[in-house]
Amino acid sequence: GWGVFVAVCAGVIPMGAILLGMRRSRIGDHHVTTLDERHALIVVILLATTGGLVTLVVADAPQEMVGFTAAGLITLVAAAVVTSIFRWKISFHTGVAAGVSVVLALALSPWWLAGLVLTVLSGWSRVHLDHHTIGQVTVGAVLGALTAGVSYVLIV
C-alpha cells in the first residue's frame, strides 16, 4: 500500500500535471523538452512529493519508504537547482533511473545495480531524440545516483 501511495505522489501526479499542461498548451510535449516549461512543473512535482513525504512521516510509514521518498525529493531539488539556477537542461530521466537503481541496491540487494543498464539506455534514447546532450544525461545520472544514494543512507 505504501508503495502505491509513493508511486501516485511521485509518478502519477507528476504525469497528470504534464498531461494537463499539454492540454492547456503550457507544455509542448510529454518529454517537457523546453527548458522554460520545466519550472512550474518542477514546483508541482516538489509539492506532490513533499506532501507524500509529510503524509508518510505523520502516518508512521516504514522508514525505508520515508527514506526512499526523501531521497527522491532531495534528488529532485538538486536537479531543480541545476535546471533553474544554472539554466541547464539536466536529464531527469537518467537521474531518476540511476537514483532508483542505487537506492534499491542499498535497500534490497546489490543485484539492483543491474538497473543502471536501463539508465544507460534511457540516456542513449534522450540523446538520440535530440532532447539532451551526452553531458546532460551523464550529469543527470551521476547526480541522481549520488544524491539519492547518499540521502537514503543518511536517512535510513
Side-chain angles (χ1 to χ4, degrees):
W2 288 116
V4 171
F5 175 75
V6 170
V8 168
C9 293
V12 174
I13 293 172
M15 191 63 203
I18 291 169
L19 294 174
L20 183 63
M22 289 172 57
R23 188 169 202 198
R24 293 184 176 174
S25 298
R26 292 189 180 140
I27 295 176
D29 61 72
H30 70 279
H31 293 284
V32 195
T33 54
T34 304
L35 183 63
D36 290 334
E37 294 173 348
R38 291 177 163 219
H39 302 298
L41 179 61
I42 289 169
V43 171
V44 169
I45 297 170
L46 285 169
L47 290 172
T49 308
T50 300
L53 180 60
V54 168
T55 302
L56 291 171
V57 171
V58 169
D60 199 30
Q63 188 63 28
E64 292 82 3
M65 292 306 297
V66 172
F68 182 82
T69 306
L73 180 61
I74 292 165
T75 302
L76 177 61
V77 168
V81 166
V82 172
T83 297
S84 299
I85 293 176
F86 297 107
R87 307 259 324 140
W88 199 50
K89 200 173 86 172
I90 191 170
S91 174
F92 282 75
H93 286 84
T94 57
V96 168
V100 168
S101 294
V102 168
V103 170
L104 289 173
L106 291 167
L108 302 174
S109 164
W111 285 102
W112 282 97
L113 290 174
L116 292 173
V117 170
L118 298 175
T119 302
V120 173
L121 291 174
S122 176
W124 172 84
S125 73
R126 305 304 294 158
V127 172
H128 182 73
L129 291 169
D130 289 325
H131 292 306
H132 290 288
T133 65
I134 292 172
Q136 290 167 334
V137 298
T138 302
V139 170
V142 171
L143 181 75
L146 290 175
T147 307
V150 169
S151 300
Y152 184 80
V153 167
L154 292 174
I155 293 164
V156 175

